[in-house]
Amino acid sequence: MPIIKSSYVPPILFKNGHISTIYPNLFRKIKEVSQKRERIVLADGDFIDLDWSYGITKNSKKVAVIVHGLEGNAQRQYMLGLARHLNQNDWDTVAINLRNCSGEVNRLYRSYNAGVSDDLDQIIMHITTKYLYTNISLCGFSLGGNILLKYLGEGRSLPTKIKSAVSVSVPCDLYDSLTAINKPNNYIYQQRFIRHLKAKLYERQVQFPELLKKEDIKKCTSLIDIDNLYTSKAHGYSDAMDYYSKCSSKQFLNGIQIPTLILNAKNDSFLGNLCYPIKEVKENDKLFLEIPSYGGHVGFYLPDKVYYNEQRTLDFFEQNG
């Protein structure tokens, strides 16, 4: 489909991409969402925790599955903001905590990465078999958006209950995104990611001392170092470049067969030019790409409680239900 013309225009302060990115993380506080946790056991014996919240009407037939970004969880403000908006419009939501992201170290050496569509597949199969929803829609943020697009486009047989999907601030080309994050203007974000990821690696080293050495973790000074040391090897890839190549969702976009919106801000400093899949969208009538001039990375601020990406997600779900 052609590119969608965006109507998003934030207050002047939030036309700055960095302010848009940082503000929600520091100052947005959402307290209206009450979550109920469900733990499911995966085929390999590991677990994933799902945090449910519910719409106004009992026994809603609509549920949104929401996937967080790098080093996120179901309690991030962007996750809660979308859950609140959907709940208030009578959608149930299930917010996924990817492996090792729910506050408890997982059982296996593997964790999560930008391409773990097999885990998402098991979660959705669990929902379709245990619950009576007739409309399942999906939303992924950043890394979670890449997982979602890969899941939809890999050629698996999807449940017919899946009606639509939205990916927000999604790094469709992982190496291109890494290159963007490595630029000097992203130094603060980059160091924050490295610090959090290394802390998780030290936790895993205690659990799996035969597979990880403290001195190797200490030597990691970049995201690609971490992906070479752990992310790639723990998930069956030869190195970081092999992981980026095989897990980038851009190559799977032509296989998507349900209505899917990609919402990537033009001033998102985490995304390089290759993360705006204009050609792929024009070749697939199920794909929609919206490139607002503003929004930063998952930061589509509006003065009221509801952010622009939350409005767009609900609208897209309702239009394609």
Side-chain angles (χ1 to χ4, degrees):
M1 293 293 289
I3 310 306
I4 296 174
K5 184 176 180 181
S6 182
S7 63
Y8 176 58
V9 182
I12 189 165
L13 183 66
F14 291 90
K15 291 183 177 181
N16 181 293
H18 293 294
I19 291 175
S20 294
T21 301
I22 294 169
Y23 179 88
N25 290 287
L26 294 182
F27 301 110
R28 196 180 193 198
K29 305 297 177 187
I30 295 166
K31 300 177 181 179
E32 300 95 326
V33 179
S34 177
Q35 293 177 319
K36 180 181 178 182
R37 178 157 292 186
E38 176 188 19
R39 175 164 292 186
I40 66 171
V41 178
L42 301 168
D44 61 9
D46 209 347
F47 67 87
I48 276 186
D49 290 327
L50 310 177
D51 288 333
W52 290 81
S53 61
Y54 299 96
I56 299 166
T57 304
K58 259 192 171 184
N59 302 317
S60 173
K61 298 302 180 185
K62 302 179 293 186
V63 65
V65 180
I66 313 174
V67 192
H68 63 74
L70 181 65
E71 284 307 281
N73 56 46
Q75 286 69 52
R76 287 289 190 266
Q77 298 306 302
Y78 59 82
M79 299 282 281
L80 295 174
L82 179 59
R84 177 179 64 184
H85 188 52
L86 291 170
N87 292 161
Q88 290 174 347
N89 286 275
D90 211 26
W91 283 73
D92 292 350
T93 66
V94 53
I96 296 170
N97 297 279
L98 296 171
R99 298 194 201 209
N100 218 43
C101 293
S102 63
E104 182 177 336
V105 178
N106 277 67
R107 299 166 184 162
L108 303 183
Y109 184 60
R110 65 168 292 182
S111 181
Y112 75 96
N113 62 62
V116 286
S117 54
D118 53 334
D119 284 359
L120 181 57
D121 185 47
Q122 290 186 64
I123 292 164
I124 290 172
M125 293 307 297
H126 167 76
I127 293 168
T128 58
T129 54
K130 184 175 179 179
Y131 301 99
L132 299 176
Y133 295 107
T134 56
N135 180 337
I136 300 175
S137 291
L138 315 173
C139 182
F141 292 94
S142 193
L143 174 144
N146 189 80
I147 295 170
L148 173 54
L149 294 175
K150 180 174 177 283
Y151 163 78
L152 292 173
E154 286 178 310
R156 59 171 48 85
S157 179
L158 298 178
T160 56
K161 293 177 180 180
I162 297 180
K163 304 299 183 183
S164 61
V166 176
S167 282
V168 179
S169 303
V170 55
C172 302
D173 186 298
L174 296 174
Y175 184 67
D176 189 52
S177 176
L178 177 78
T179 302
I181 292 171
N182 282 341
K183 292 181 179 178
N185 65 321
N186 285 323
Y187 180 79
I188 293 173
Y189 310 119
Q190 177 199 131
Q191 292 303 306
R192 184 172 181 269
F193 282 137
I194 292 169
R195 186 169 64 252
H196 282 272
L197 288 165
K198 287 178 73 170
K200 288 277 187 75
L201 286 184
Y202 282 120
E203 286 182 346
R204 302 200 81 62
Q205 193 279 327
V206 172
Q207 192 174 8
F208 300 98
E210 73 283 3
L211 297 174
L212 264 181
K213 295 180 180 178
K214 286 183 181 179
E215 53 267 34
D216 291 336
I217 299 171
K218 189 174 182 180
K219 290 176 186 174
C220 291
T221 59
S222 67
L223 291 173
I224 197 168
D225 287 346
I226 293 170
D227 289 336
N228 272 318
L229 173 66
Y230 173 75
T231 315
S232 58
K233 303 294 192 303
H235 299 96
Y237 304 101
S238 58
D239 56 22
M241 293 304 296
D242 184 45
Y243 157 55
Y244 303 146
S245 173
K246 290 177 178 174
C247 289
S248 292
S249 62
K250 193 173 183 179
Q251 64 196 301
F252 301 105
L253 295 180
N254 64 348
I256 293 178
Q257 298 180 21
I258 65 164
T260 299
L261 170 66
I262 299 171
L263 180 66
N264 280 0
K266 192 173 183 179
N267 69 346
D268 187 337
S269 65
F270 290 20
L271 306 181
N273 291 334
L274 298 179
C275 293
Y276 300 87
I278 294 170
K279 175 179 176 291
E280 289 78 4
V281 169
K282 288 181 176 179
E283 293 173 350
N284 184 342
D285 63 6
K286 296 297 185 182
L287 284 178
F288 302 81
L289 176 62
E290 182 176 343
I291 309 175
S293 297
Y294 314 107
H297 192 73
V298 193
F300 297 90
Y301 174 88
L302 284 176
D304 61 4
K305 285 186 174 182
V306 182
Y307 277 25
Y308 179 74
N309 64 287
E310 295 157 9
Q311 293 179 354
R312 288 291 289 123
T313 299
L314 174 63
D315 290 347
F316 194 79
F317 285 175
E318 296 284 3
Q319 291 163 8
N320 294 285

